[in-house]
Amino acid sequence: MINPQGYKWFFETTTPAEGHMHAIKRTVVEARTKFQHVEIMETTSYGKVLILDGRIQSSQTDEFIYHEALVHPGMLATEAPPRSALVIGGGEGATLREVLKYPSIARAVMVDIDGEVVELCKKHLPEMHRGAFEDKRTEVRAEDARGYLEKTSDRFDFITVDLVEPLEEGPACMLFTKEFYTLVRDRLTPAGAMTMQAGMTKLGELAFYTALHRTLREVFPVVAGYQTFISCFGTPWGFITATKKVDPRRLDTQTVDKLIAERVKGPLDYWDGQTHQHAFSLPKFIRKAIDAQTRVVTDAHPLIMA
Ligand code: SAM
């Protein structure tokens, strides 16, 4: 391969036959925790990136796109301003940071199975959490989020599922099933909303996204898919908002801008009324694939990524 600058490269496959390469300036830290292989690297194009089991989770440069897209469509789709939130997974604390932009939030719980990852992110990725772990409203728990949901009787206005992909032998396989989403629904308040990252929405690679969409439709009355392009992943990325009442697709540009002005403290750099309309307007081939999907993911037949 031609390598005129003499860069070291990090190579991530997006499909078995494609990938994305990042020139690396340095490895900030590398560790093997009880649950996963962790790397924090500084890249030439995207600043620091968090990599778990060889998969880029987020980058310093464009994480605002991912995290604003993950959080705000759900936080704006609760009937009243949300008072409590649960982040499932969430590693580097940027999801928590977005949740905490709502002054109405009195309690924000983050449940990540891997306390070591959270500690490494606290230390090496202050650009991402920006003090979210020190906020008085934050409660961080190092445990399996499914176990937590099974035993808690707490209810939340907003729950976001910010997990690693369900890799074989990985810690997240049983958190992408109908039984898991039923637990999420039952831990939401009556007018609550959930969001999740749901994998790529790239042409020819829609099986994962559409199966999750189909599975959520078994559990929630309102399921709305949306997408955005994440540059550091090199592919469009799918998200889903599911609610018990409000349909985010019915919120027009002015309403979203008004809700943001009323509910959010501080500027957003990605999400506004116009971005909202764009993200929820899925193209025809994705809508067709969603309609055609019949697979419901269950504990007996979980979705495992190769
Ligand atoms: N915000 C990130 C991003 O930018 O893509 C999302 C990924 S975040 C790093 C995913 C987190 O999910 C990891 O820190 C991992 O430890 C956590 N996780 C995996 N399985 C889990 C489980 N069963 N319960 C709770 N957390 C889990």
Side-chain angles (χ1 to χ4, degrees), residues 74-85 99 101-107 156-158 189 191-193 246 258-264:
M75 292 285 276
L76 300 172
T78 58
E79 212 167 40
R83 293 188 42 76
S84 54
V99 165
K101 286 183 179 171
Y102 291 70
S104 61
I105 287 287
R107 181 177 181 229
F156 298 90
D157 295 326
F158 174 69
T189 51
V246 177
K258 186 164 171 285
L259 281 169
I260 289 174
E262 286 166 1
R263 291 190 181 186
V264 182

Side-chain angles (χ1 to χ4, degrees), residues 58-133:
S58 51
S59 86
Q60 195 182 337
T61 305
D62 69 354
E63 59 83 7
F64 73 97
I65 297 176
Y66 176 98
H67 291 107
E68 288 189 25
L70 177 65
V71 169
H72 300 295
M75 292 285 276
L76 300 172
T78 58
E79 212 167 40
R83 293 188 42 76
S84 54
L86 171 65
V87 176
I88 292 177
E92 75 296 89
T95 306
L96 197 56
R97 179 196 76 212
E98 291 304 313
V99 165
L100 293 168
K101 286 183 179 171
Y102 291 70
S104 61
I105 287 287
R107 181 177 181 229
V109 180
M110 171 174 149
V111 184
D112 193 305
I113 200 169
D114 199 335
E116 284 179 78
V117 163
V118 175
E119 287 308 315
L120 288 169
C121 293
K122 268 188 198 170
K123 183 168 176 201
H124 297 288
L125 293 173
E127 308 83 353
M128 294 207 199
H129 57 75
R130 295 182 216 154
F133 292 117

Side-chain angles (χ1 to χ4, degrees), residues 33 35-36 50 52 56-59 63 66-67 70 87-95 110-115 117-118 121 128 141-147 161-165 170-176 197 233 237:
T33 72
F35 299 100
Q36 50 214 339
L50 171 65
L52 297 179
I56 292 193
Q57 303 295 309
S58 51
S59 86
E63 59 83 7
Y66 176 98
H67 291 107
L70 177 65
V87 176
I88 292 177
E92 75 296 89
T95 306
M110 171 174 149
V111 184
D112 193 305
I113 200 169
D114 199 335
V117 163
V118 175
C121 293
M128 294 207 199
R141 308 176 70 101
E143 60 184 295
D144 172 44
R146 181 155 176 169
V161 185
D162 187 19
L163 288 168
V164 292
E165 290 163 334
C173 292
M174 301 315 275
L175 287 79
F176 287 84
Q197 74 86 1
F233 298 169
W237 207 255

